[in-house]
Amino acid sequence: MNFIRASLRGGFFIFAYWYMENPWKILAERSIYDNKWIGLTEYDVINPGGGRGIYGKVRFKSLAIGILPLDDQGNTWLVGQYRFPLGAYSWEIPEGGGDPAVPPVESARRELLEETGLVAREWVELMEMHLSNSVTDERAIIFVARGLEQHEAAPEETEQLVVRRLPFEEAYRMAESGEITDSMSVAAILKVKLMLLQGQLSFA
């Protein structure tokens, strides 16, 4: 049973959390769809309220990898492309899929080179995310890349990309105004902005 106890001390509520066991009961499951990138499973369940129903889960077979490159002049890079599921154009940090059996930073190196032609000497893991945890188990890992050298990009044949080098502050403005809507990009840009404000990161 999920159990939370609260007590009032000095005008503040103090919460004690016990182990949160899974309240969902799975009665049956069946594969609805499967390809090399994703699988869709439908479950017969008893939900936390005790009712019977179904739940669909999309399982991603790759890690989502994101890279926010930063140079010493305070610039970053964005990639523009038309996103088929959205039916809309999207500006994003460099992103792609990574084999779970491969170290995530190696997938990040590959994606950064493919999409922008950049090679970075310094890599720092910025954050992990679950991208849409009500319907999918997709997990993302995002890196900051520094010490950049420009080489030749080699995008995949399915990609039609536009690459922009721009001041990081402009990318921040785009995220703040809603011009950038990709969740990994927004989270990474806001996290880096916070780190800059707190002195945890600098362009020097």
Side-chain angles (χ1 to χ4, degrees), residues 17-203:
Y17 292 85
W18 276 259
Y19 175 75
M20 307 287 281
E21 67 180 17
N22 181 2
W24 292 86
K25 307 300 181 187
I26 297 174
L27 304 176
E29 64 181 81
R30 53 199 161 272
S31 176
I32 303 299
Y33 176 77
D34 190 80
N35 64 26
K36 63 186 291 187
W37 301 282
I38 62 170
L40 172 61
T41 302
E42 184 177 82
Y43 298 88
D44 295 324
V45 299
I46 298 177
N47 65 40
R52 289 178 176 251
I54 60 172
Y55 209 121
K57 182 174 85 171
V58 180
R59 179 174 60 88
F60 278 74
K61 299 180 182 180
S62 298
L63 288 173
I65 299 292
I67 309 100
L68 202 160
L70 293 172
D71 68 14
D72 293 340
Q73 290 72 50
N75 296 305
T76 190
W77 279 253
L78 294 178
V79 176
Q81 60 183 308
Y82 193 90
R83 286 297 190 183
F84 182 85
L86 301 180
Y89 202 81
S90 178
W91 286 104
E92 307 165 4
I93 63 173
E95 298 174 356
D99 185 338
V102 173
V105 70
E106 295 303 318
S107 298
R109 291 182 197 276
R110 172 181 50 78
E111 284 295 335
L112 184 63
L113 179 60
E114 284 181 3
E115 294 198 350
T116 67
L118 293 171
V119 173
R121 294 192 306 273
E122 303 169 24
W123 290 86
V124 176
E125 185 175 319
L126 181 66
M127 63 199 310
E128 290 193 27
M129 298 176 64
H130 289 104
L131 299 183
S132 188
N133 63 9
S134 65
V135 294
T136 176
D137 62 359
E138 186 177 22
R139 175 170 159 252
I141 301 179
I142 304 174
F143 295 87
V144 171
R146 307 293 301 268
L148 305 173
E149 295 180 0
Q150 186 67 60
H151 294 256
E152 178 134 8
E156 297 177 2
E157 62 179 4
T158 59
E159 296 176 321
Q160 188 177 61
L161 308 180
V162 176
V163 179
R164 287 179 61 188
R165 178 175 178 263
L166 71 166
F168 172 79
E169 289 300 324
E170 184 177 344
Y172 171 69
R173 179 196 60 76
M174 292 171 69
E176 187 180 37
S177 68
E179 189 175 349
I180 295 175
T181 60
D182 172 69
S183 61
M184 291 171 63
S185 301
V186 172
I189 290 168
L190 295 186
K191 177 71 177 289
V192 165
K193 178 65 172 180
L194 182 62
M195 293 173 71
L196 289 167
L197 291 173
Q198 293 178 339
Q200 300 175 30
L201 189 68
S202 71
F203 293 122

